[in-house]
Amino acid sequence: MTLIKSISGIRGTIGGRTGDTLNPLDIVKFTTAYAQFIGGKKIVVGRDGRISGLMVRNVVVGTLMGMGYDVIDIGYATTPTTELAVRMAGADGGIIITASHNPRQWNALKLLNREGEFLTAADGAEVLRMAEAEDFNYAEVDHLGSLTIDDSYNQRHIDSVLALKLVDVEAVKARKFRVCVDTINSVGGIILPDLFKALGVDYEILNGECTGDFAHNPEPLEKNLQGIMDKMKQGGFDLGIVVDPDVDRLAFISEDGTMFGEEYTLVSVADYVLSHTVGNTVSNLSSTRALRDVTEKHGGKYTAAAVGEVNVTTKMKEVGAVIGGEGNGGVIYPESHYGRDALVGIALFLSSLAQKGCKVSELRATFPEYQIAKNRIDLTPDTDVDAILVKVKEMFAKDNSAVVNDIDGVKIDFPDRWVHLRKSNTEPIIRVYSEAQTMEQADELGKQLMQVVYDMQ
């Protein structure tokens, strides 16, 4: 069992001993600390379709009411829907109950500020400090908070997407797309059909029941998506679409059943946005160089940020980026809001396809070709991650062909490839991502660095 406390929230497996898992006692403590930190009177709560979601929701809502907060419960909702709801409701903050791409036994609390954006690193650290201190002050009986159930925000989210100036609703309707969608038994199965209907898109949903009993590993990687890939190979669809349980990550499958490439979700959407809007882009250090190439082609400047949505959005604001995100299929479009949003990504991608009049595979062929190998090393209690990162830095410090970046783990940048090692914020692992012209070259580079880690364990 595992409990991970970080600046982005608290995440863990359900069931087991307190302090080691995501359990009611730790949920109360962490929720109380957040409520005490945020201040104000109103907080939005939304949740994905996980089996444990109702239990966690009840603990969170009761705790917030006990702190004197009026709670707006928006029910089953995507992460971007909850983010938008905070702003739309004029709330002081929000809590998203989701463990994103983690397997079914996990859940988490993601914390938002009054802008509907994730807390900064400093704010997140303060919430953690307050949770550990347990110096709490609850409301007296005459000042307990209230609960309002409001299920209108899914439609309001869709309406906001349709209103974006680069979402070409008429062109999409005229193209009469037929899509196959895997919503992995969570909230995507609730909201995406309504989006497709509004866009005039014919669709077939796989794993559409919002049960939280995921039909396969919910991370939208090729190795987990054989079902929809086989379905696409049978023909009859223009596009395959895959989301994760909280619908902030997005992957596409071409009409022939081949992966478009999770890394190229952001690249393709950015190319469309930049063709209409002059500006800069941002992605994280573990994302493909293809975004840099596309950005420079359109006359903009690309900047890399540390991994983590709040790090990317902070950098986007600093450089005035018009589009950004993460290579894991996360599209952040400031015209909508500063948060990864699969609905926005889908609408912009379909608009691009409709305007270009091409197939998905033809669009993919227009982008620079890179391959990323995504490996992981499971941590043991004795693993000294800091010592490993220092060792890796030392190995390449005197290599004139390499640029070493240590703002988030260690990234070694060579002229024709790169490798990035960092400790995950969401799982007890070291992520080892590497990119080159071919998958064989990328995987070889990653495994060279992995062997260094193994030798030190």
Side-chain angles (χ1 to χ4, degrees):
M1 297 298 181
T2 304
L3 181 67
I4 299 175
K5 302 174 183 178
S6 73
I7 58 172
S8 59
I10 185 170
R11 179 182 302 236
T13 51
I14 300 295
R17 298 182 61 84
T18 58
D20 293 331
T21 63
L22 190 68
N23 58 81
L25 287 179
D26 283 315
I27 294 168
V28 168
K29 184 168 70 170
F30 197 77
T31 301
T32 302
Y34 166 73
Q36 201 155 288
F37 170 80
I38 283 292
K41 185 62 178 174
K42 186 189 302 182
I43 290 180
V44 171
V45 175
R47 64 182 174 102
D48 71 12
R50 289 175 181 272
I51 294 169
S52 59
L54 180 60
M55 179 276 288
V56 178
R57 174 266 187 199
N58 288 343
V59 176
V60 167
V61 168
T63 302
L64 291 173
M65 293 173 67
M67 289 292 292
Y69 277 89
D70 295 330
V71 179
I72 301 176
D73 179 6
I74 65 172
Y76 286 127
T78 75
T79 282
T81 303
T82 310
E83 292 170 343
L84 285 166
V86 171
R87 284 193 349 214
M88 292 175 176
D92 300 294
I95 296 180
I96 310 165
I97 302 169
T98 175
S100 193
H101 63 273
N102 288 61
R104 65 198 291 277
Q105 69 269 28
W106 289 76
N107 215 327
L109 307 184
K110 294 183 177 181
L111 309 178
L112 306 174
N113 61 22
R114 67 180 62 249
E115 299 300 322
E117 300 169 16
F118 288 117
L119 300 186
T120 65
D123 288 348
E126 178 61 13
V127 171
L128 284 176
R129 187 200 65 76
M130 294 172 68
E132 292 303 320
E134 294 190 50
D135 183 16
F136 302 142
N137 184 25
Y138 292 94
E140 296 179 359
V141 67
D142 292 327
H143 300 287
L144 296 175
S146 65
L147 173 62
T148 300
I149 308 295
D150 189 341
D151 62 2
S152 68
Y153 286 96
N154 281 346
Q155 187 58 52
R156 294 172 72 175
H157 183 181
I158 291 170
D159 291 343
S160 73
V161 172
L162 299 176
L164 293 170
K165 62 184 178 182
L166 291 187
V167 173
D168 194 339
V169 176
E170 295 310 312
V172 173
K173 286 182 176 180
R175 182 73 185 268
K176 299 185 183 301
F177 288 109
R178 177 164 168 74
V179 301
C180 184
V181 189
D182 186 346
T183 59
I184 193 57
N185 307 108
S186 192
V187 291
I190 296 174
I191 193 170
L192 290 184
D194 288 338
L195 175 67
F196 295 137
K197 291 172 187 174
L199 289 169
V201 173
D202 188 20
Y203 63 90
E204 182 173 334
I205 302 287
L206 304 181
N207 306 315
E209 304 84 2
C210 186
T211 63
D213 193 8
F214 305 140
H216 56 76
N217 185 305
E219 189 163 15
L221 303 177
E222 181 173 357
K223 64 182 179 180
N224 302 326
L225 302 177
Q226 200 58 51
I228 187 172
M229 292 175 70
D230 289 344
K231 186 79 172 178
M232 292 294 298
K233 288 174 183 176
Q234 295 172 13
F237 296 99
D238 299 296
L239 172 66
I241 300 173
V242 181
V243 295
D244 65 341
D246 67 327
V247 199
D248 63 354
R249 287 175 62 173
L250 173 64
F252 296 122
I253 301 171
S254 298
E255 75 286 348
D256 58 2
T258 59
M259 289 296 295
F260 189 80
E262 186 186 32
E263 290 288 330
Y264 283 82
T265 297
L266 174 59
V267 174
S268 59
V269 173
D271 182 63
Y272 172 66
V273 169
L274 291 170
S275 69
H276 293 273
T277 312
V278 177
N280 303 323
T281 66
V282 173
S283 66
N284 68 41
L285 287 167
S286 283
S287 300
T288 179
R289 284 181 176 175
L291 181 61
R292 176 201 65 184
D293 297 348
V294 166
T295 303
E296 292 175 352
K297 179 188 76 171
H298 288 287
K301 180 180 179 181
Y302 165 78
T303 305
V307 175
E309 185 171 321
V310 67
N311 296 319
V312 174
T313 57
T314 298
K315 185 61 68 175
M316 288 178 68
K317 294 172 184 177
E318 288 178 7
V319 303
V322 297
I323 185 74
E326 300 187 287
N328 61 9
V331 174
I332 302 173
Y333 186 43
E335 283 290 316
S336 174
H337 64 120
Y338 279 102
R340 297 183 302 183
D341 192 330
L343 277 73
V344 169
I346 289 168
L348 291 173
F349 188 82
L350 289 174
S351 297
S352 178
L353 275 181
Q355 290 185 7
K356 291 179 172 67
C358 64
K359 296 180 179 179
V360 177
S361 59
E362 293 170 343
L363 177 63
R364 177 65 178 81
T366 65
F367 301 123
E369 184 62 38
Y370 297 101
Q371 297 290 333
I372 286 186
K374 297 184 178 183
N375 292 296
R376 56 181 277 172
I377 299 170
D378 293 327
L379 297 178
T380 69
D382 299 325
T383 304
D384 188 339
V385 177
D386 291 336
I388 289 169
L389 296 178
V390 169
K391 177 70 172 179
V392 171
K393 284 175 59 178
E394 291 175 348
M395 286 178 58
F396 294 96
K398 296 181 181 180
D399 187 338
N400 293 329
S401 67
V403 176
V404 179
N405 187 319
D406 62 358
I407 66 171
D408 183 11
V410 177
K411 183 175 183 179
I412 315 298
D413 241 317
F414 301 96
D416 61 343
R417 64 192 71 186
W418 57 260
V419 59
H420 187 201
L421 282 77
R422 58 177 292 275
K423 184 176 180 181
S424 172
N425 292 329
T426 59
E427 299 177 75
I429 62 174
I430 293 176
R431 298 194 187 276
V432 184
Y433 286 8
S434 48
E435 182 176 69
Q437 294 293 325
T438 69
M439 183 57 74
E440 292 75 19
Q441 293 171 338
D443 200 45
E444 179 184 2
L445 178 60
K447 287 178 176 174
Q448 287 176 359
L449 271 293
M450 290 171 70
Q451 191 58 52
V452 174
V453 177
Y454 292 137
D455 290 343
M456 294 184 65
Q457 286 184 317

